[in-house]
Amino acid sequence: MNIEIPEGKDPIQYVWGEMVPGIGPAASNLSLAVYAHTTLGLREFEAARLRVAQLNGCLFCLDWRTDRDGEKVEEGFADAVTEWRTTGAFDDRTRLAAEYAERYVLDHHGLDEDFWTRMSACYTQAEIVELSMCIGSWLAFGRLNRVLGLDAMCVLPRP
């Protein structure tokens, strides 16, 4: 489905703000908060975010790279995320972040004791909650953008 956007309106601002003013701005604030207030390292944050983007198929999310004080993940990082099981480019935390994102999106009922033991060996409980909230927001909002066709209307600014 493609939402009809009035001429001259920004698709995201229109859909997330004007169309549903009681919900959209709150959703936008959550979406922005996961970037502004995360305590997670850039690599594990981006591994989880990109894995959700890959599974959602959100074009905008796939093209986006989180920037932290001028630093972004290296070229080819997204390919490593796709191959999170076998890549040599990831440490344990980054690999687990990609695995958790994939399992959260595709098989949250299959998160077993073995997984939680491995996760708890690398992440604190607070970090697990934070990562869960981030993944949940990316799943919901990336999928919303994809399903409504907003991801194809939005373009990243180019330097």
Side-chain angles (χ1 to χ4, degrees):
M1 166 168 205
N2 286 319
I3 298 295
E4 292 181 27
I5 308 299
E7 187 74 31
K9 297 278 187 176
D10 175 87
I12 293 287
Q13 290 178 357
Y14 177 71
V15 172
W16 285 58
E18 292 182 49
M19 287 189 81
V20 288
I23 300 171
S28 180
N29 286 337
L30 172 59
S31 181
L32 294 171
V34 302
Y35 293 91
H37 302 293
T38 186
T39 63
L40 299 167
L42 180 60
R43 291 179 65 75
E44 60 251 20
F45 184 88
E46 277 294 273
R49 189 196 65 74
L50 276 165
R51 192 64 193 131
V52 173
Q54 291 166 348
L55 296 168
N56 274 343
C58 176
L59 302 172
F60 183 83
C61 302
L62 288 166
D63 200 30
W64 174 265
R65 294 297 176 272
T66 301
D67 184 321
R68 294 233 185 111
D69 299 322
E71 290 207 26
K72 294 183 180 183
V73 292
E74 69 274 8
E75 199 65 35
F77 188 84
D79 293 332
V81 170
T82 302
E83 302 297 325
W84 64 263
R85 288 173 183 82
T86 58
T87 185
F90 289 173
D91 63 12
D92 289 342
R93 282 177 61 96
T94 305
R95 187 178 318 281
L96 275 166
E99 178 183 359
Y100 185 36
E102 180 174 303
R103 293 178 73 173
Y104 188 108
V105 171
L106 298 176
D107 185 25
H108 61 284
H109 292 287
L111 293 168
D112 57 13
E113 204 55 44
D114 174 63
F115 172 79
W116 289 119
T117 298
R118 291 184 294 113
M119 193 71 173
S120 297
C122 290
Y123 286 90
T124 67
Q125 288 187 349
E127 289 173 322
I128 291 169
V129 170
E130 181 178 334
L131 186 55
S132 300
M133 288 183 177
C134 290
I135 292 168
S137 75
W138 298 320
L139 173 60
F141 302 138
R143 193 158 293 175
L144 177 147
N145 289 338
R146 179 67 182 145
V147 167
L148 298 180
L150 298 176
D151 65 328
M153 294 182 216
C154 300
V155 294
L156 289 172
R158 297 290 178 205

